[in-house]
């Protein structure tokens, strides 16, 4: 196959990244609306914060090489699902599944696949809910379905994942056994903390409801 002239590749790269960037914007807006609707219905804010990012060219090349794929724009589009990534950080585990449900009900979002690392944590202790979705981006030439990876996790899970990520890269994936074991122990503590915070919150909510009911009876 004849090689593509360099400026064509640059143009192709720019057009592709424009699509991913637009998809991030579209999903971010949807999440904001979902959050606002949630606040209206449930009277509290389930989302602590949202982070979004486009994967860097270095990170794209590294991942393609690590997975044994060709380092080309076509293989990046076909094989990588997390070039556009959004992370939604929630207070409680139960919020995660409500948000997932609200995302799944959006008519223009197609869920390609999910990975529920909360129900099935990774052996290292990683917990998070991953959805790979597509959303149409309307260009003058027509709609282009564009992939976005949405990661949803609690504040505590996110705290753990950031530290684990740092250690993973520091030791290039080969951290000493004792460090890996301590991280796994921390992941179990994070899980316990999430469960405790959830039950505490439930008690606080039922206390407020009972208080209001008692005040109305008086
Ligand atoms: P980076 O450097 O964060 O971008 P798929 O995307 O489904 O085709 P993949 O990448 O194996 O294949 O999917 P998976 O398991 O859903 O992982 C996607 C991303 O989730 C990773 O991207 C990480 O950001 C995060 N992740 C997955 N496993 C772990 C883990 O054990 N620890 C931490 N801290 N994060 C994890 P990248 O490109 O691997 O890494």
């Amino acid at each position: 196959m004849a090689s593509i002239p360099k400026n064509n590749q640059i143009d192709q790269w720019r057009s592709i990244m424009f699509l991913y960037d637009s998809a991030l914007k579209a999903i971010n807006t949807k999440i904001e609306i979902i959050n606002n609707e949630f606040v209206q219905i449930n009277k509290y804010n389930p989302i602590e914060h949202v982070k979004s990012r486009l994967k860097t060219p270095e990170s794209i090349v590294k991942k393609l090489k690590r997975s044994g794929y060709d380092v080309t724009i076509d293989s990046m589009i076909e094989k990588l699902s997390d070039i556009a990534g959004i992370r939604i950080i929630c207070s409680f585990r139960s919020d995660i599944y409500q948000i997932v449900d609200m995302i799944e009900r959006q008519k223009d979002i197609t869920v390609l696949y999910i990975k529920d690392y909360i129900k099935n944590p990774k052996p290292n202790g990683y917990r998070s809910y991953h959805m790979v979705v597509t959303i149409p981006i309307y260009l003058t030439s027509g709609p282009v379905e564009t992939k976005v990876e949405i990661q949803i996790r609690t504040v505590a899970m996110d705290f753990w994942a950031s530290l684990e990520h740092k250690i993973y890269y520091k030791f290039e994936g080969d951290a000493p056994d004792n460090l890996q074991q301590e991280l796994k122990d921390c992941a179990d503590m994070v899980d316990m903390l999430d469960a405790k915070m959830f039950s505490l919150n439930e008690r606080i909510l039922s206390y407020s409801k009972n208080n209001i009911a008692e005040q109305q009876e008086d």
Side-chain angles (χ1 to χ4, degrees):
M1 194 175 79
S3 66
I4 308 165
K6 263 219 153 61
N7 56 347
N8 273 5
Q9 280 195 16
I10 292 171
D11 284 349
Q12 194 191 357
W13 170 263
R14 285 201 182 121
S15 317
I16 297 298
M17 289 326 250
F18 165 75
L19 278 176
Y20 285 119
D21 188 45
S22 306
L24 278 186
K25 290 192 172 104
I27 300 262
N28 265 319
T29 304
K30 276 189 177 293
I31 289 165
E32 200 184 327
I33 296 169
I34 284 174
N35 189 49
N36 292 349
E37 190 197 349
F38 195 106
V39 172
Q40 286 227 331
I41 299 170
N42 300 298
K43 310 285 178 237
Y44 79 93
N45 198 335
I47 298 178
E48 287 287 330
H49 57 271
V50 178
K51 292 184 246 179
S52 57
R53 63 101 183 96
L54 285 176
K55 216 172 176 69
T56 61
E58 294 77 23
S59 184
I60 290 172
V61 170
K62 245 194 218 166
K63 190 158 183 174
L64 286 172
K65 283 188 177 162
R66 192 171 71 217
S67 313
Y69 299 129
D70 290 344
V71 181
T72 62
I73 294 181
D74 288 343
S75 110
M76 156 188 120
I77 298 167
E78 191 193 337
K79 306 291 187 191
L80 301 190
S81 307
D82 63 342
I83 295 171
I86 293 193
R87 192 168 290 153
I88 305 175
I89 311 299
C90 300
S91 310
F92 304 106
R93 211 168 7 197
S94 53
D95 297 335
I96 296 175
Y97 291 99
Q98 294 206 57
I99 288 166
V100 166
D101 194 47
M102 289 170 97
I103 293 174
E104 281 174 343
R105 274 190 272 129
Q106 305 279 315
K107 285 271 181 293
D108 53 348
I109 286 188
T110 307
V111 179
L112 296 183
Y113 60 89
I114 58 149
K115 289 185 185 174
D116 188 346
Y117 292 125
I118 297 173
K119 292 211 171 102
N120 303 298
K122 288 179 72 166
N124 63 358
Y126 179 73
R127 285 177 174 80
S128 186
Y129 192 99
H130 294 189
M131 309 173 85
V132 173
V133 304
T134 63
I135 185 159
I137 300 302
Y138 294 93
L139 303 181
T140 42
S141 52
V144 184
E145 290 291 335
T146 308
K147 264 191 259 182
V148 177
E149 186 194 65
I150 308 175
Q151 299 183 351
I152 317 175
R153 51 174 86 143
T154 63
V155 181
M157 290 173 195
D158 192 49
F159 183 35
W160 183 93
S162 329
L163 183 64
E164 194 272 346
H165 195 262
K166 220 184 286 171
I167 292 172
Y168 185 87
Y169 279 97
K170 184 101 190 153
F171 292 94
E172 293 170 348
D174 197 20
D177 284 352
N178 62 336
L179 216 56
Q180 292 189 33
Q181 186 53 50
E182 278 193 55
L183 269 174
K184 173 73 178 67
D185 295 344
C186 285
D188 295 340
M189 284 186 234
V190 159
D191 193 42
M192 232 157 57
L193 178 68
D194 270 335
K196 277 215 177 280
M197 296 295 265
F198 173 74
S199 86
L200 203 56
N201 189 52
E202 291 290 288
R203 276 162 56 199
I204 294 166
L205 289 179
S206 77
Y207 176 79
S208 335
K209 273 186 208 145
N210 291 342
N211 250 10
I212 292 166
E214 278 168 21
Q215 277 169 12
Q216 281 169 347
E217 277 169 22
D218 288 345

